[in-house]
Amino acid sequence: MGGAKYKYAGYWPRMWAYNTDLVILLAVYYLISLVVTTDRLMYLVCFLITVFYHAIFESSHWQATPGKRLLKLKVVGTVNEEMSLAKTTGRFLLKIVSLFIFYIGFIMIGFSKKGQGLHDKIIGTYVIYEDPELLSRNFH
C-alpha cells in the first residue's frame, strides 16, 4: 500500500477512536454487570464482547469501529482490501502482545511512516483516512 493516495492515521487519531470505543464498551459492560454476578464470568464475557466488537465492526462494510468511523478512519489490508472476520479477530488478539511488552507495539504507531502498530505489521493492516481529501484534517 503506497503512494500519496492514502493518508495513514497516526497515533493520536487512533487513540481518540479507541477512547470513543471504550466509552461505548464501558456502557455495555455496566449493563452486563447488572446480570452477571461472578467476577470470572464477567471478565470472560467482557473480553469476548470486546473481541467481537472490534472484529465484527472492522470486518463490516464500515471497516471501522464506531470510534474510528467517527474520525473517518478505516482498517484495510494491502491494496485497500476489505477485512475478513478472521483477520480482524487476529488483529485484535495481537494487540494483547503489545500490552505484555509494555505497550511498545502501540508506541510503534507514532514512529512508523505508515502508522502501523505491531499488530498491524504482523497481520498486514493499515489504518487510513476514508477520504484522501481529509489530508487537511491533521490530528497529530
Side-chain angles (χ1 to χ4, degrees):
M1 228 180 118
K5 183 177 173 182
Y6 301 104
K7 168 78 172 165
Y8 300 102
Y11 180 82
W12 289 112
R14 291 174 68 169
M15 179 60 75
W16 282 112
Y18 173 80
N19 287 335
T20 302
D21 291 324
L22 185 58
V23 169
I24 294 167
L25 285 168
L26 286 173
V28 172
Y29 300 157
Y30 174 74
L31 293 174
I32 291 169
S33 74
L34 299 174
V35 178
V36 177
T37 57
T38 63
D39 288 346
R40 287 185 185 181
L41 182 58
M42 182 68 184
Y43 293 137
L44 176 63
V45 169
C46 288
F47 176 74
L48 292 174
I49 286 172
T50 304
V51 171
F52 287 118
Y53 174 90
H54 288 273
I56 289 170
F57 276 119
E58 290 178 356
S59 66
S60 73
H61 70 279
W62 282 1
Q63 291 178 253
T65 60
K68 285 184 182 77
R69 181 110 168 124
L70 183 68
L71 291 172
K72 308 290 188 211
L73 306 175
K74 70 178 183 177
V75 179
V76 296
T78 55
V79 195
N80 202 10
E81 72 185 38
E82 289 193 19
M83 303 297 294
S84 69
L85 186 60
K87 195 167 193 172
T88 57
T89 302
R91 181 178 183 272
F92 180 81
L93 293 174
L94 283 168
K95 291 178 182 180
I96 296 169
V97 174
S98 292
L99 295 175
F100 286 119
I101 56 171
F102 309 104
Y103 295 86
I104 291 172
F106 297 117
I107 295 168
M108 289 172 57
I109 296 168
F111 296 97
S112 167
K113 288 182 181 178
K114 295 181 179 179
Q116 288 180 293
L118 181 62
H119 53 284
D120 293 313
K121 287 186 180 285
I122 291 172
I123 208 91
T125 56
Y126 305 85
V127 178
I128 63 171
Y129 287 92
E130 282 182 359
D131 185 354
E133 297 300 317
L134 291 174
L135 294 174
S136 63
R137 185 174 170 184
N138 191 354
F139 290 94
H140 55 290

